[in-house]
Amino acid sequence: MITTEFLTHIHLFSFPPHLCLSLTEPDCGRKQKLAEIHQALISDPVDIETLRRAAASKGGLLTDELRRKVWPKLLSINVFELPHKPGRDVRKNHKDYNQVVLDVRRSMKRFPKGMPAAERAVLQEQLIDIILEVLKGNPQLHYYQGYHDVAVSLLLVVGERMAIAMLDTLSNFHLRDFMDPTMDRTKHILNYLMPILEQVDTELHDFMIRAEVGTIFALSWLITWFGHVLSEFKHTLRLYDFFLASHPLMPIYLAATIVLHREKEVKQTECDMAMVHHLLSRIPQDLPYELLIGQAQDLFDKYPPSLLAKRAALQSRKSLSISTFQAFQRSTLHQRPDSVLQRLTKAHGSDTSRHGLEAALPRDRGQLWGRGNRMVKMAVWGLSATLGAAVFAVAQTAMDWGPEVLLQLF
Amino acid sequence: MAEGGSSVEFSSSLANSNLPPPRTRIFKIIVIGDSGVGKTCLTYRFCAGKFPEKTEATIGVDFRERLVEIDGEKIKIQLWDTAGQERFRKSMVQHYYRNVHAVVFVYDVTNAASFRSLPAWIEECKQHALGTEVPRIIVGNKCDLQESIQVGTDVAQQFADTHSLPLFETSAKNPNSQGEGNCGGGNSDHVEAIFMTVAHKLKSQKPLVLSQPAEGSGGTINLSRGRDDGGDGARSWACSSC
């Protein structure tokens, strides 16, 4: 049958193993970290503190395979109860539809270099769908240009259905302030930047005040978690590990460390708004990310938002992301490991009516392919529905990234 | 700005800068218009001299500049490329209106909605106290896409006349496609000519806009009356064929 043929094809295209993002790390440290992460994942309840530490510490979550397992835990998402793949009507009657399509269709740089155009086109259509799906489910949220940069970073790692779940949670918590009808709350968050600089380097701070540079140079850093400005996807992923495990204000602390890191350059620039904005908004691509992440964490510990709020007359209660963060963190504390979740999900609902398709992270391979069959049938429908080679191409890429993603693509 | 925190505010470099480099004056031009009309392409085209391979959504404000020579004087033209999405312009972009020397409104000739947005942009500009003394022009972009044109030149020209604004139609992608509109200098690059025309205009009216002493203003093109200029002004730049 076609389905098995399709499977065979996928098998034939077996690509190199998962991307390793921390080749610089000594192997033993890496092995130890892998073991720790696995142990944390199977603990009951899941050892979320260890996972957070691992995501923030050197090398982050190491591989995309681990990200697919740890990211949902960091956001308290049950991978066995993922949202459905969006239907066709997701594109109907949404006020942000045109803007989303416009931004996604021209967001080519976000996709891996060398990805065939047809493959990218399929992912772009998925990207439109997942964004609109989340927006439709949350009428209080408003699309902003840059939201698509966050969504694509998730999509490329975890696939369509888990990306919807993650984006939904992030939108209601970490990104919440950016999704108001206006950007007043976003400006408020940006206002934390200068007080941090003031604490560390008064001279630099005063120079920037004199230049009247403002903070808009850091706007895209903040609202896309740097996804918009970094050309290497591995760097974006490393930062996403960090931010997913951190306080919603952490991107501002990282922004501060980047400015501080370039302190000499800044001070040597003409003290002029345009010149300083120009310099800072163009982010060097060879930043020492591990170092900066560590520094951002230190700055956060030393000058927490509450302290800055007092000193700088910033009112943290204005920020929804900040005010809901504690509750969000509490919600992550009592998660069951996937093995238990899977059992519970099965026992709880053979009524697939609610969650429909099967889980995204089956326990073993045999089961994976068994379950995969229905997905593959859908894939074949996809093939006949004009996408053809493009869908197939995506399937190949997904195999490159791991079978879990393949399941979620369809 | 009334509602903004001080750290996100912007103001012009020009009047306030404590150390303007001698002899190099800066003309600050803000480029605004709906999302996707080609603001980034136009500014890139002028500053880098070529059409960008791919551009993405502009988040916040981007900045490009180019040094030009006008009547023997070196002048820095600073283009502020802004985000088109309304939420940005309401909260962020407004800070950039302060002390700009000229405004370029951009619409997409293949997108009627972007043309219909112009009154709102013009109105917003007025609210930021940028009145008729600040040179403003309208640019209809993408006129290389002949087969998808939704905004005819006559309609656009009528609108421009109503507002006493010069109209240019061009294509950032293929600025030479009209094969006309030469400025007498043999340069048939529309995008180049458009921004240079604004620069000339600024140079000629410098005493009004800039807080620096005036110089001679020979060779400038008066754009403030659009249509009345006849062959010498904006109309000659309009792309009559598309």
Side-chain angles (χ1 to χ4, degrees), chain A residues 81-224:
Chain A
E81 295 189 351
L82 291 178
H84 290 287
K85 186 178 156 54
R88 289 188 175 211
D89 55 343
V90 74
R91 299 195 177 201
K92 282 182 196 148
N93 300 322
H94 196 279
K95 65 177 172 55
D96 291 320
Y97 172 77
N98 286 332
Q99 187 73 58
V100 173
V101 170
L102 184 65
D103 292 342
V104 169
R105 297 245 163 97
R106 57 180 166 167
S107 69
M108 324 253 227
K109 275 195 229 156
R110 301 275 78 80
F111 296 89
K113 289 183 193 88
M115 177 182 271
E119 193 174 331
R120 191 186 61 224
V122 173
L123 287 167
Q124 282 176 309
E125 296 309 301
Q126 287 189 349
L127 189 53
I128 293 169
D129 285 347
I130 67 172
I131 290 171
L132 291 171
E133 177 77 10
V134 172
L135 293 174
K136 281 210 161 172
N138 297 276
Q140 77 282 14
L141 302 181
H142 302 264
Y143 174 78
Y144 61 86
Q145 289 188 299
Y147 188 66
H148 66 299
D149 287 303
V150 177
V152 73
S153 305
L154 304 177
L155 175 66
L156 289 175
V157 177
V158 302
E160 191 174 23
R161 293 177 59 211
M162 206 197 292
I164 294 171
M166 288 185 68
L167 193 61
D168 190 87
T169 303
L170 283 179
S171 304
N172 280 295
F173 293 97
H174 300 62
L175 309 176
R176 179 60 187 85
D177 288 329
F178 318 143
M179 306 197 69
D180 266 0
T182 73
M183 300 202 80
D184 292 343
R185 280 206 173 91
T186 307
K187 280 200 289 193
H188 171 74
I189 299 291
L190 280 171
N191 281 342
Y192 278 83
L193 179 57
M194 295 306 284
I196 301 173
L197 297 177
E198 190 177 17
Q199 300 295 327
V200 186
D201 188 338
T202 321
E203 200 186 320
L204 177 67
H205 169 266
D206 294 350
F207 180 90
M208 288 174 65
I209 294 290
R210 275 205 309 282
E212 299 189 56
V213 64
T215 50
I216 306 291
F217 66 84
L219 173 65
S220 73
W221 304 355
L222 173 68
I223 66 180
T224 72

Side-chain angles (χ1 to χ4, degrees), chain A residues 99 106 109-110 142-143 145 178 180 183 187 191 212-216 228 272-275 277-278, chain B residues 3 7-11 13 35 55-61 63 65 78 80 85 87-88 91-92 96:
Chain A
Q99 187 73 58
R106 57 180 166 167
K109 275 195 229 156
R110 301 275 78 80
H142 302 264
Y143 174 78
Q145 289 188 299
F178 318 143
D180 266 0
M183 300 202 80
K187 280 200 289 193
N191 281 342
E212 299 189 56
V213 64
T215 50
I216 306 291
H228 189 73
D272 163 80
M273 183 265 267
M275 291 304 120
H277 175 94
H278 186 57
Chain B
E3 85 287 14
S7 67
V8 288
E9 287 189 11
F10 275 74
S11 76
S13 56
S35 203
T55 59
E56 301 197 35
T58 302
I59 296 177
V61 179
F63 161 93
E65 68 176 10
Q78 239 178 40
W80 289 90
Q85 195 188 9
R87 55 175 29 249
F88 288 99
S91 302
M92 304 279 177
Y96 294 84

Side-chain angles (χ1 to χ4, degrees), chain B residues 123-136:
Chain B
E123 184 51 38
E124 197 164 283
C125 218
K126 278 191 194 134
Q127 282 170 12
H128 290 93
L130 294 175
T132 45
E133 75 282 2
V134 172
R136 296 166 303 156

Side-chain angles (χ1 to χ4, degrees), chain B residues 12-24:
Chain B
S12 164
S13 56
L14 197 81
N16 303 336
S17 179
N18 31 13
L19 287 172
R23 294 303 302 153
T24 308

